[in-house]
Amino acid sequence: DAGVTQSPTHLIKTRGQQVTLRCSPISGHKSVSWYQQVLGQGPQFIFQYYEKEERGRGNFPDRFSARQFPNYSSELNVNALLLGDSALYLCASSPVGTGTGELFFGEGSRLTVL
Amino acid sequence: AQKVTQAQTEISVVEKEDVTLDCVYETRDTTYYLFWYKQPPSGELVFLIRRNSFDEQNEISGRYSWNFQKSTSSFNFTITASQVVDSAVYFCALRSYNTDKLIFGTGTRLQVFP
């Protein structure tokens, strides 16, 4: 079975631009979470979506938004990019989103903002 | 507030040495889960273990073992007879019940030299 897949794997943007990152969860998983990992730090929680509804939001500005589609895939959007948005963006999926199971992570999308 | 502290930023050992990675956590929840993840250079977070707050039994899996002590809020990870392939960044993480939000520590970079 395929794991969590993310696209694109690498991308370069300039300040002020907008970016969309995509995530396909493991088949059968209904919960998707997004994390930002700045170089040298641990991942920071951005969003959780379960059954297409937002379940949780981390301490990120409104420039960050996300959504989940009927097939449980998800997109993370970041508007008005800043240099500080340069990071590895990780997507994780779990079966029910209630915290009782493992979270499975993708390999991430590495965003560089110039 | 919830917090995970990994005081060791970087550890270097020679192959076959034993090494322990420390993790201390803070939470007011009575039900929670603790995790260890391994992050190789590829970026993907590889799940190693999950422990719930009601299970303080130590666990051994091959060369890996985990010591969970609720009294000291610690969840330490030991690698016995380390190998070069163990070189990676290791993250300890905390998750409350009923959410997929993980609180990560800052990670410990382990370098195993031949």
Side-chain angles (χ1 to χ4, degrees):
Chain A
D1 284 343
V4 178
T5 57
Q6 294 186 241
S7 64
T9 53
H10 294 81
L11 67 165
I12 300 174
K13 294 284 188 179
T14 56
R15 279 178 297 177
Q17 285 189 312
Q18 175 263 342
V19 67
T20 297
L21 308 177
R22 296 175 178 83
C23 171
S24 293
I26 291 172
S27 178
H29 285 194
K30 298 182 179 180
S31 175
V32 170
S33 303
W34 287 95
Y35 289 78
Q36 180 197 64
Q37 186 178 17
V38 174
L39 193 62
Q41 299 294 319
Q44 299 288 317
F45 174 78
I46 309 175
F47 287 110
Q48 181 196 354
Y49 276 79
Y50 177 69
E51 290 281 15
K52 302 183 290 295
E53 293 196 0
E54 184 181 300
R55 265 274 186 94
R57 171 186 283 258
N59 188 23
F60 282 81
D62 292 343
R63 300 183 296 107
F64 289 77
S65 64
R67 57 180 174 169
Q68 187 177 33
F69 299 99
N71 66 354
Y72 303 111
S73 66
S74 177
E75 286 183 352
L76 175 70
N77 295 284
V78 187
N79 294 321
L81 285 168
L82 304 174
L83 295 180
D85 295 331
S86 295
L88 178 68
Y89 289 85
L90 293 162
C91 175
S93 77
S94 72
V96 293
T98 58
T100 55
E102 291 90 5
L103 275 179
F104 297 88
F105 284 84
E107 291 196 1
S109 294
R110 191 168 297 278
L111 170 66
T112 301
V113 182
L114 302 177
Chain B
Q2 296 182 312
K3 186 179 179 182
V4 175
T5 301
Q6 294 180 256
Q8 304 150 309
T9 306
E10 188 163 339
I11 300 175
S12 296
V13 298
V14 177
E15 215 170 11
K16 295 182 183 168
E17 281 186 38
D18 298 347
V19 58
T20 296
L21 309 182
D22 297 332
C23 173
V24 175
Y25 64 93
E26 296 175 30
T27 182
R28 293 182 180 178
D29 294 338
T30 54
T31 303
Y32 54 90
Y33 299 86
L34 295 164
F35 297 78
W36 276 95
Y37 283 90
K38 174 181 180 180
Q39 188 174 45
S42 63
E44 180 180 0
L45 285 168
V46 178
F47 168 81
L48 296 177
I49 190 172
R50 178 191 65 188
R51 197 37 117 221
N52 73 50
S53 53
F54 296 109
D55 183 1
E56 289 193 68
Q57 281 193 349
N58 292 332
E59 180 157 337
I60 298 175
S61 176
R63 296 184 297 107
Y64 296 169
S65 63
W66 291 269
N67 183 354
F68 175 32
Q69 292 196 340
K70 220 168 170 178
S71 60
T72 56
S73 296
S74 65
F75 186 43
N76 297 336
F77 172 32
T78 297
I79 302 175
T80 302
S82 59
Q83 299 176 1
V84 173
V85 294
D86 296 327
S87 297
V89 180
Y90 290 85
F91 289 97
C92 180
L94 168 69
R95 190 165 91 187
S96 293
Y97 179 72
N98 207 32
T99 175
D100 275 357
K101 177 181 178 180
L102 279 168
I103 307 295
F104 284 88
T106 51
T108 298
R109 179 177 298 278
L110 174 64
Q111 292 196 66
V112 182
F113 293 99

